[in-house]
Amino acid sequence: MNYSDAVVARQLVVRRGRSEILHGVDVHVPAGQVVGLLGPSGAGKTTLMRAIVGAQRTSSGTIEVFGRPAGHRSLRRELGYMAQSTAIYDDLTVEQNLDYFRRVLGAPTSDVDRVVAEVGLGSVRRNLGARLSGGQRSRVSLGIALLGAPRLLVLDEPTVGLDPVLREELWTLFARLAASGTTLLVSSHVMDEARRCDRLLLVRDGRIIADDTPDGLLAATAASDHDEAFLRLVERDDAMRREEGAA
């Protein structure tokens, strides 16, 4: 493994019961970049992210994070994970939630103020979790993922349900974190967010159908935008499947 890579997966297969969710996926996530994991709902994005953080049992293949097997105990403080469903305590305030998870991680006390500022929760920091809007709850979950300044952030649909202004602020934060050396893997089903990433992994039906830069993807498909590029890749993928089926 090249140590300029944060994540490398080779021929990764995940099954649930008799269904295969990921079909021999190869993934390369360069360190210090914002990598977008894009594709429609049900494509396998969440399953892949859970495998990377060590929360998903894999059937075959390998996956390494900073040169160690995914899920290794030595990675616990180097990874920050934000799941799609928010996981905060309704009977604690914003800052109490952050302080609780800070203690679990062994992060410094100053981290609470830092992440409150980074995700824009200053005006509601003393509000109970039960009183927060959906967007505010998402920001608390993002703040929890940022505690301890992890080397890799795995963020599953972090901008869903947020207003355009906050989405812009968060993508600016993501770029700033990457510039400081943090690696971010950010999933989305909104192709408009592709242009904000350094690199793109496009997922369809449990397979990676493209791994390129945003500009490279447009050039490779002769498309005018990333929605069109994805549709053209889907057409190519369908054509290849038909050829394989006919062979």
Side-chain angles (χ1 to χ4, degrees), residues 217-231:
L217 189 65
L218 294 179
T221 56
S224 58
D225 59 46
H226 292 96
D227 280 307
E228 183 182 0
F230 186 76
L231 290 174

Side-chain angles (χ1 to χ4, degrees), residues 19-166:
S19 300
E20 189 168 284
I21 310 300
L22 297 180
H23 315 294
V25 166
D26 292 323
V27 172
H28 162 78
V29 178
Q33 292 190 12
V34 180
V35 178
L37 185 64
L38 283 86
S41 298
K45 302 187 300 295
T46 295
T47 299
L48 177 56
M49 289 185 143
R50 284 173 50 82
I52 289 170
V53 301
Q56 173 67 58
R57 179 177 295 178
T58 59
S59 302
S60 62
T62 62
I63 182 164
E64 293 184 346
V65 180
F66 299 123
R68 284 158 282 173
H72 194 280
R73 62 183 302 173
S74 65
L75 292 169
R76 289 177 184 171
R77 294 189 180 183
E78 298 192 50
L79 297 180
Y81 176 50
M82 176 184 171
Q84 282 188 41
S85 56
T86 57
I88 66 173
Y89 294 102
D90 285 346
D91 57 343
L92 297 181
T93 66
V94 168
E95 59 183 17
Q96 286 171 339
N97 267 284
L98 292 169
D99 189 59
Y100 169 76
F101 287 102
R102 174 197 69 77
R103 292 172 184 269
V104 170
L105 290 168
T109 305
S110 59
D111 262 18
V112 172
D113 289 335
R114 175 178 65 81
V115 301
V116 162
E118 284 181 338
V119 299
L121 287 168
S123 63
V124 296
R125 64 181 297 159
R126 292 182 176 83
N127 288 12
L128 290 174
R131 294 178 54 197
L132 301 177
S133 68
Q136 289 167 342
R137 293 174 70 87
S138 294
R139 279 186 279 164
V140 176
S141 290
L142 176 58
I144 291 168
L146 290 168
L147 291 167
R151 295 170 64 194
L152 172 64
L153 281 170
V154 178
L155 309 176
D156 198 354
E157 304 273 9
T159 61
V160 168
L162 302 184
D163 63 76
V165 173
L166 183 56

